[in-house]
Amino acid sequence: MRKDTSKPRVLAIANQKGGVGKTTTAINLGTALASIGERVLAIDLDPQGNASTGLGVPKSIEARTPSTLEVLLGEATIAQAEQPTTIERMHVVPANIDLMAVERDPNTRQSRNFALRDALQAHAVACERDERDTPTYVLIDCPPSLNVLTLNALCAADAVIVPLQCEFFALEGLSLLVDTIEQVRDHLNPNLTVQGVILTMHDGRQVLTQQVEEDVRAFLGKKVYSNTIPRNVTISEAPSHGLPVLVYDMHCKGSQAYIAVAKELIRRERGLEAA
Ligand SMILES: Nc1ncnc2c1ncn2[C@@H]1O[C@H](COP(=O)(O)OP(=O)(O)OP(=O)(O)O)[C@@H](O)[C@H]1O
Ligand SMILES: [Mg+2]
């Protein structure tokens, strides 16, 4: 059978603010997309390695080698580093703590920013040569900072998904990220866009959530997903079992919210919903 080697859609999941739901979104949006037939490659670009853990990769360095680090250094291909997950059609390139070496590397050549982009391009070429399916979506889980790792994601990506927690100062943090995305677009990756902003840990009963949501929607308009992810305890329990919440408890509110967000993402990608 002719393999599908069309170019994947590469989405960076980024916000320099910590703990806003980047990793949870990478894992569960990826799982939801895979469950509706997409071929998903998650790239763990955070030395914390939480996306790898949440997708069931054991924590030892051996189980996580080769990792994103070797891919960035050109010592392993994506095909060599990727691992299957318990989810059909979803793979992960795991990360381990050694990835911190990249952040600390004093070498600041600009070409370093393109390591992930080049690895993904090489992967596409290799898939075509070997007649293997390419992923349809690549989701990159970024660390909570605007460092060289996040820059690699922004240079490799077609678009950025921003998980945003409705709390005080959310908008200030967002403008810094938007400035960075604009600078990357001006100097490094002219086609980069913001795919959308997803409101996470949303609690509609809280006045603060309502006010921040109102401000964010007024500021960013249709960039903000109409579906939101509620604060849901099952979402926070699932990673300790090495499972996406969608596998851990498909019927909980958090799972259903991620399915709704995945469907909205597909509609946005197809241009059926104004973005
Ligand atoms: N919708 C939710 N409801 C309840 N808990 C959540 C939800 N989303 C994420 N969490 C929990 O909040 C914490 C932070 O989430 P997560 O790790 O996804 O954020 P992050 O932005 O990737 O963090 P970091 O910046 O450290 O990488 C985790 O313990 C996670 O389980
Ligand atoms: Mg994270």
Side-chain angles (χ1 to χ4, degrees), residues 22-23 46 48 50 141-142 144:
K22 294 179 287 294
T23 301
D46 186 346
Q48 297 178 99
N50 293 342
D141 184 30
C142 293

Side-chain angles (χ1 to χ4, degrees), residues 166-212:
C166 289
E167 57 180 15
F168 208 57
F169 292 134
L171 270 177
E172 280 81 351
L174 193 61
S175 9
L176 185 62
L177 179 61
V178 170
D179 286 351
T180 307
I181 292 170
E182 278 170 7
Q183 280 180 31
V184 169
R185 193 187 298 138
D186 288 348
H187 301 289
L188 301 169
N189 181 5
N191 298 321
L192 186 67
T193 58
V194 176
Q195 203 272 359
V197 174
I198 299 174
L199 301 179
T200 58
M201 293 178 246
H202 187 269
D203 182 353
R205 291 164 308 180
Q206 279 193 18
V207 178
L208 181 63
T209 299
Q210 292 164 8
Q211 283 171 349
V212 175

Side-chain angles (χ1 to χ4, degrees), residues 18-24 46 48 144 201 229-232 235-236:
V20 296
K22 294 179 287 294
T23 301
T24 305
D46 186 346
Q48 297 178 99
M201 293 178 246
I229 305 295
R231 184 173 285 283
N232 174 250
I235 289 183
S236 57

Side-chain angles (χ1 to χ4, degrees), residues 17-28 31 42-60 64 67-68 85 87 90 92-99 139-144 235-245:
K17 197 159 184 333
V20 296
K22 294 179 287 294
T23 301
T24 305
T25 299
I27 293 171
N28 292 299
T31 304
I43 297 186
D44 192 345
L45 201 55
D46 186 346
Q48 297 178 99
N50 293 342
S52 313
T53 309
L55 285 166
V57 184
K59 282 191 176 162
S60 68
R64 297 179 178 203
S67 66
T68 317
T85 67
I87 303 113
M90 185 165 182
V92 60
V93 178
N96 62 55
I97 196 73
D98 292 346
L99 189 55
L139 301 182
I140 308 171
D141 184 30
C142 293
I235 289 183
S236 57
E237 283 168 8
S240 63
H241 299 269
L243 293 173
V245 71

